[in-house]
Amino acid sequence: AAAAGQNAGLSGTAGGTAWRVTGITRQGGRFIAVLTQAAPGQPVKSSFLQVGEKLPDGRTLAAIDADAVELDAASGRQRIRLYWPKT
């Protein structure tokens, strides 16, 4: 389940297009972040981002694991959980 309120730093608007990191998946033995973008009047577009790639707001994906991403920005590194661990 998504961590309510914890992933608020993983969304925004860039150039009139709303975006959000909506999940984490695994491809070829590594974790990949799923980015969903929606521009007004356009179909929703999903793409996969790897470590080292930039989010629309300019932050860089520094690390991705099973439940969180780490972002590098001018203000420093930030870890944001997308999912709570199963208990």
Side-chain angles (χ1 to χ4, degrees):
Q6 294 294 312
N7 59 4
L10 290 175
S11 64
T13 303
T17 299
W19 63 271
R20 175 178 293 278
V21 175
T22 54
I24 297 171
T25 189
R26 202 174 183 103
Q27 286 183 345
R30 62 182 175 214
F31 291 107
I32 304 291
V34 180
L35 177 72
T36 302
Q37 296 176 290
Q42 300 294 318
V44 173
K45 174 183 158 189
S46 292
S47 55
F48 299 106
L49 299 177
Q50 301 178 47
V51 169
E53 293 189 276
K54 290 189 181 290
L55 293 175
D57 65 3
R59 292 179 292 172
T60 302
L61 285 166
I64 306 169
D65 61 34
D67 63 359
V69 297
E70 288 187 24
L71 305 170
D72 280 337
S75 61
R77 186 168 281 196
Q78 178 183 23
R79 180 176 173 81
I80 302 174
R81 252 187 216 280
L82 271 75
Y83 311 105
W84 289 115
K86 290 184 179 183
T87 55

